[in-house]
Amino acid sequence: MGTQSHIAGYPRMGPKRELKFALESFWDGKSSAEDLQKVSADLRSSIWKQMSDAGTKYIPSNTFTYYDHVLDTTAMLGAVPPRYGWNGGEIGFDVFFSMARGNASVPAMEMTKWFDTNYHFIVPELGPEVNFSYSSHKAINEYKEAKALGVDTVPVLVGPVSYLLLSKPAKGVEKTFSLLSLLDKILEVISELKAAGASWIQLDEPTLVMDLDSHKLKAFTEAYSELESTLSGLNVLVETYFADIPAEAFKTLTSLKGVTAYGLDLVRGTKTLDLVKAEFPKGKYLFAGVVDGRNIWANDLSSSLSTLESLESNKLVVSTSCSLLHTAVDLVNETKLDDEIKSWLAFAAQKVVEVNALAKALAGKKDEVHFIYRLLFAAELICLNIFPFPQAAGLKGSEHRRATNVSARLDAQQKKLNLPILPTTTIGSFPQTVELRRVRREYKAKKISEEEYIKAIKEEIKKVVELQEELDIDVLVHGEPERNDMVEYFGEQLSGFAFTVNGWVQSYGSRCVKPPIIYGDVSRPKPMTVYWSSAAQSMTSRPMKGMLTGPVTILNWSFVRNDQPRFETCYQIALAIKDEVEDLEKAGINVIQIDEAALREGLPLRKSEQAFYLEWAVHSFRITNIGVQDTTQIHTHMCYSNFNDIIHSIIDMDADVITIENSRSDEKLLSVFREGVKYGAGIGPGVYDIHSPRIPSTEEIADRINKMLAVLEKNILWVNPDCGLKTRKYPEVKPALQAMVAAAKALRTQLASAK
């Protein structure tokens, strides 16, 4: 029979983002529901065929979705919040996409990050008025669709306990509904799948890798006891991923009633391997996740093989560490990558081949397996380090703190900058018009000369500078017209980075990102932003901010080499950004912003690993600006995501001014300062939400600033929007910034007369 293979899940977007374009065309009313369904059915059948042709035994179904798999579960259970006006019956596109994206009269459901990935899911809202009812037959329909194509699949569902733990109570309600009412519906779905001929089913319970208390672990035991009778006659795989599974949770998992198989991430779960070797239940299947679902490197097949061989006393199935959703789709579509770099990579389609190659090798058919990938992948990477890299190695001994404390620095900066109280600024980017994108595209395609390009970009910067002066903003930005993306723009100018053409990964809905690949040592061959920042500063007498992306954000938004610890790569990026910061200062730029939008995104799932991450992440930030004078003001910007638990690390970054995306969650952020956290640096919590086209009034902004003044000193408060303005249009931006400046001026007058 031999060893078998399994894939935990697959990207939905298609090799060339076919689903993205079909969705957006449908949302814009340019194509019909049938058109969208046709594109989707074609994608699903090609994925099933591809897995089947590669020899995969356990092929997943129901991992495709039109938006998000957790929202699919919400639809399946009929857990639609009342505001969407759904009256029962099968849930169609209208209700489904209203929950995902909002509609003319109601906002969308909340979206948040899926564990520690860059994927976002739609958070279920469960209140007492939610009556679960089986309202979307997508799982059974997909199973039958695959069966009609001759492929017997394993239907994948979000496990009942993880679904509950990932949900939030409806506004004003504590969680009061019972686990049992939800299980009833899951039972219906499972019975129907069983009746249709499914012999295996996969339940994803990734919350088992979190630090759960005994009360939550008990919920797993109870839920699966309740499901046991329905599960009999079916093989049930409970899949976990993204981290080491804690010993207590491992005990709970391996003693669940009615479960035949356990899926474990052996890439990020290195300690899990010891638990398996010590006590894996006899007669159960072990789905061993040895092929990394979260990176793009080819598998080191010899190392995976020895891991698998050490587990051979179990009923073993070779698997991916998690769904392949978090990696790019197919290397075949990469026409511009260097051939040598390409030979080190494996995207989702190649990972399917790797899983099957390992299963065949384990079954003793090693001669049949063409080891397409070089086993010496790690050794090869070392050849790339043409420049010895002693600096990064020597960084651990020092704290890298600026010599003077922040209040003394702020005084020195104020003497030089001479800013009013409640100074106004923006976060960096200004609207990217169709015309501007055309200029960049034509320059890239060599349709216009470098001279024409520079002239066009300088004209755009001049417009942005004049607009800010007319609005009377205090600290200006150049608007970033020359930048495509805040990470890619820097990666293209640093050594050690490579870029794909189609390496897209789904972020949410139809939105995809294309992470750069860090394959070698990182350094900065020459200045990256100095030319544009100096040009912008020469157009005004007001301070012009230099705009950089910080090392931790560049790291967290890239696919990172895995032959050295992440922090070493981060220190290398920090040194490259440090060179840039010092060159900006020499060029006369007195305010420099180093964005760390994604600092919190890299926080490990397990509490025991968080302190170490925060220590090197914050250290990397400090390295970037250790060399500047006291009179140079260092800003950083962070996108809001539950700061309260890491506020001490943020203070430890020791920036002079921090601006924070805050407008959607005012209270949460300000509560930190209300609870007595002492903060002496400058701070600018966003005063209006740039993610919405809505234009705030002066009164509304003044009211926000007043709320902030209740907990923060007036001499440290800055006034700014909560993020960059790149995605907005000028008719929205101009009046919003007018209102912001007017509010700041009105409050300055009030504060002055209150003296």
Side-chain angles (χ1 to χ4, degrees):
M1 193 165 136
T3 311
Q4 291 164 340
S5 52
H6 164 251
I7 306 294
Y10 202 80
R12 304 90 185 231
M13 279 297 134
K16 296 195 170 164
R17 293 184 293 162
E18 291 83 349
L19 181 61
K20 171 194 175 70
F21 300 119
L23 279 167
E24 289 172 1
S25 162
F26 173 68
W27 293 335
D28 291 345
K30 291 178 185 154
S31 60
S32 67
E34 290 70 38
D35 296 331
L36 175 56
Q37 284 158 337
K38 169 88 176 79
V39 168
S40 307
D42 289 347
L43 281 172
R44 288 192 296 269
S45 75
S46 73
I47 291 166
W48 289 326
K49 184 178 184 324
Q50 177 194 334
M51 290 193 203
S52 175
D53 291 350
T56 316
K57 162 83 170 154
Y58 300 107
I59 296 174
S61 58
N62 201 38
T63 59
F64 172 86
T65 174
Y66 289 104
Y67 205 93
D68 162 53
H69 58 283
V70 183
L71 184 61
D72 283 348
T73 312
T74 296
M76 179 178 88
L77 298 169
V80 181
R83 64 177 177 276
Y84 297 103
W86 171 68
N87 300 316
E90 187 77 3
I91 290 173
F93 282 157
D94 50 349
V95 174
F96 184 79
F97 288 132
S98 292
M99 291 192 284
R101 310 174 67 231
N103 59 34
S105 50
V106 285
M109 291 170 73
E110 187 192 334
M111 187 164 71
T112 195
K113 275 164 54 72
W114 178 245
F115 296 85
D116 60 346
T117 69
N118 291 330
Y119 175 79
H120 299 72
F121 73 97
I122 303 284
V123 183
E125 281 173 40
L126 302 177
E129 74 288 355
V130 164
N131 287 314
F132 292 117
S133 64
Y134 183 11
S135 306
S136 162
H137 291 64
K138 176 178 170 290
I140 184 85
N141 294 342
E142 272 196 30
Y143 175 76
K144 288 177 172 169
E145 181 186 333
K147 204 162 180 187
L149 296 166
V151 183
D152 189 23
T153 58
V154 178
V156 179
L157 303 173
V158 176
V161 190
S162 292
Y163 179 79
L164 283 187
L165 293 176
L166 293 167
S167 69
K168 64 172 190 182
K171 266 210 167 72
V173 196
E174 283 315 301
K175 289 190 179 174
T176 51
F177 55 88
S178 74
L179 178 61
L180 298 181
S181 60
L182 170 113
L183 291 175
D184 278 349
K185 296 305 147 228
I186 301 246
L187 290 174
E188 267 184 68
V189 179
I190 293 172
S191 307
E192 199 175 2
L193 286 166
K194 202 157 85 172
S199 55
W200 277 83
I201 183 167
Q202 175 179 325
L203 296 170
D204 281 13
E205 295 281 13
T207 47
L208 276 167
V209 305
M210 304 294 282
D211 298 297
L212 299 180
D213 56 35
S214 57
H215 172 71
K216 286 179 179 153
L217 288 174
K218 203 167 148 223
F220 280 94
T221 307
E222 286 169 2
Y224 283 81
S225 299
E226 195 64 32
L227 291 174
E228 187 183 9
S229 59
T230 308
L231 295 176
S232 71
L234 259 182
N235 288 299
V236 179
L237 162 63
V238 173
E239 184 70 49
T240 67
Y241 36 79
F242 298 151
D244 269 312
I245 184 162
E248 273 309 297
F250 183 75
K251 273 200 191 101
T252 302
L253 170 68
T254 50
S255 50
L256 291 178
K257 295 278 176 37
V259 176
T260 336
Y262 310 102
L264 300 167
D265 181 338
L266 300 181
V267 175
R268 292 194 170 216
T270 41
K271 298 189 192 106
T272 300
L273 204 53
D274 300 333
L275 291 174
V276 172
K277 287 176 183 170
E279 46 175 349
F280 193 78
K282 285 277 170 282
K284 301 285 188 183
Y285 287 85
L286 166 61
F287 280 61
V290 290
V291 171
D292 193 348
R294 289 185 58 173
N295 217 323
I296 41 63
W297 304 112
N299 190 277
D300 179 345
L301 296 173
S302 61
S303 152
S304 298
L305 211 48
S306 61
T307 300
L308 291 165
E309 282 165 349
S310 72
L311 299 168
E312 273 194 299
S313 56
N314 301 293
K315 286 160 89 172
L316 200 56
V317 175
V318 182
S319 183
T320 53
S321 65
C322 60
S323 169
L324 298 177
L325 165 66
H326 310 289
T327 188
V329 183
D330 194 346
L331 202 51
V332 167
N333 300 308
E334 294 307 325
T335 44
K336 296 190 177 157
L337 267 181
D338 173 88
D339 282 345
E340 190 173 7
I341 292 176
K342 205 168 161 176
S343 72
W344 306 327
L345 305 180
F347 292 179
Q350 288 68 44
K351 288 175 189 287
V352 170
V353 175
E354 289 180 332
V355 165
N356 284 288
L358 285 164
K360 285 178 187 152
L362 207 60
K365 302 179 190 158
K366 295 195 173 83
D367 49 327
E368 267 184 41
V369 179
H370 306 294
F371 278 109
I372 317 155
Y373 307 110
R374 302 177 192 183
L375 296 179
L376 299 170
F377 159 64
E380 295 245 343
L381 261 183
I382 297 159
C383 314
L384 273 172
N385 306 343
I386 307 152
F387 310 101
F389 219 88
Q391 302 115 293
L395 291 176
K396 299 190 190 67
S398 159
E399 286 273 297
H400 296 95
R401 288 181 191 279
R402 288 169 80 178
T404 323
N405 73 23
V406 71
S407 51
R409 296 196 311 256
L410 287 170
D411 290 345
Q413 291 155 14
Q414 181 53 13
K415 285 195 182 81
K416 189 165 191 174
L417 298 171
N418 199 17
L419 297 169
I421 198 158
L422 304 181
T424 53
T425 189
T426 62
I427 301 304
S429 59
F430 264 66
Q432 298 233 338
T433 59
V434 174
E435 173 60 16
L436 182 57
R437 291 203 163 111
R438 185 184 60 78
V439 166
R440 277 210 312 263
R441 203 166 47 240
E442 290 187 350
Y443 176 54
K444 213 168 182 175
K446 302 193 168 43
K447 286 184 185 159
I448 58 173
S449 69
E450 184 165 26
E451 255 164 300
E452 290 170 291
Y453 171 72
I454 288 175
K455 184 167 171 277
I457 296 290
K458 279 190 173 166
E459 276 168 14
E460 182 66 24
I461 292 174
K462 194 162 180 48
K463 273 197 323 220
V464 169
V465 169
E466 283 169 357
L467 172 62
Q468 292 171 92
E469 288 189 322
E470 176 197 324
L471 290 164
D472 205 13
I473 289 173
D474 301 304
V475 175
L476 310 193
V477 297
H478 77 291
E480 305 176 18
E482 77 289 7
R483 304 189 189 178
N484 44 4
D485 170 272
M486 62 185 281
V487 173
E488 194 162 308
Y489 179 76
F490 291 94
E492 283 172 343
Q493 302 184 73
L494 293 166
S495 61
F497 280 78
F499 295 87
T500 62
V501 183
N502 281 298
W504 298 96
V505 179
Q506 185 181 15
S507 169
Y508 63 88
S510 69
R511 175 78 198 272
C512 301
V513 292
K514 191 157 65 67
I517 296 170
I518 304 179
Y519 65 85
D521 281 332
V522 177
S523 60
R524 184 200 71 147
K526 58 180 194 299
M528 305 182 282
T529 65
V530 177
Y531 178 81
W532 299 115
S533 288
S534 309
Q537 183 64 81
S538 71
M539 297 172 189
T540 179
S541 57
R542 300 181 184 217
M544 173 61 63
K545 269 198 288 199
M547 300 298 310
L548 305 173
T549 302
V552 188
T553 297
I554 291 176
L555 185 88
N556 285 340
W557 284 349
S558 300
F559 283 124
V560 182
R561 58 190 285 190
N562 58 1
D563 64 321
Q564 68 177 19
R566 283 175 80 86
F567 66 83
E568 283 186 27
T569 303
C570 201
Y571 287 157
Q572 292 180 0
I573 304 169
L575 290 169
I577 299 295
K578 174 179 187 282
D579 291 346
E580 187 71 13
V581 168
E582 288 163 20
D583 282 346
L584 281 168
E585 185 184 60
K586 280 188 202 111
I589 303 295
N590 296 315
V591 182
I592 301 169
Q593 181 171 310
I594 306 164
D595 282 348
E596 283 294 13
L599 183 107
R600 197 177 186 297
E601 284 193 13
L603 197 65
L605 294 175
R606 302 289 298 285
K607 291 191 182 71
S608 57
E609 294 161 27
Q610 292 176 355
F612 178 62
Y613 165 78
L614 288 167
E615 183 193 337
W616 62 253
V618 168
H619 188 179
S620 298
F621 177 82
R622 288 201 307 263
I623 288 168
T624 62
N625 57 83
I626 180 71
V628 299
Q629 298 164 22
D630 285 354
T631 49
T632 297
Q633 189 165 77
I634 299 293
H635 287 224
T636 187
H637 174 67
M638 298 190 140
C639 290
Y640 183 80
S641 55
N642 292 340
F643 268 115
N644 303 20
D645 54 350
I646 62 162
I647 190 73
H648 294 289
S649 296
I650 291 169
I651 293 171
D652 202 34
M653 288 167 77
D654 198 29
D656 296 310
V657 178
I658 175 170
T659 52
I660 295 184
E661 181 187 336
N662 161 68
S663 63
R664 293 187 175 193
S665 34
D666 263 358
E667 288 310 308
K668 263 190 193 165
L669 178 75
L670 293 176
S671 68
V672 177
F673 300 107
R674 229 174 262 129
E675 285 153 21
V677 168
K678 286 282 167 277
Y679 189 74
I683 183 165
V687 295
Y688 79 90
D689 179 11
I690 65 93
H691 297 96
S692 155
R694 218 182 126 258
I695 296 159
S697 66
T698 303
E699 295 70 36
E700 188 183 323
I701 293 179
D703 180 48
R704 276 235 154 96
I705 300 171
N706 269 323
K707 268 194 194 145
M708 293 166 192
L709 285 168
V711 290
L712 294 162
E713 297 293 325
K714 62 177 187 287
N715 59 340
I716 64 167
L717 193 63
W718 283 65
V719 176
N720 46 264
D722 72 0
C723 247
L725 305 169
K726 178 169 151 182
T727 57
R728 298 266 61 90
K729 296 181 170 59
Y730 274 107
E732 301 156 0
V733 165
K734 213 172 151 177
L737 291 177
Q738 262 162 342
M740 181 183 91
V741 174
K745 286 181 173 174
L747 286 168
R748 278 174 205 160
T749 312
Q750 272 179 35
L751 290 168
S753 60
K755 273 184 180 167

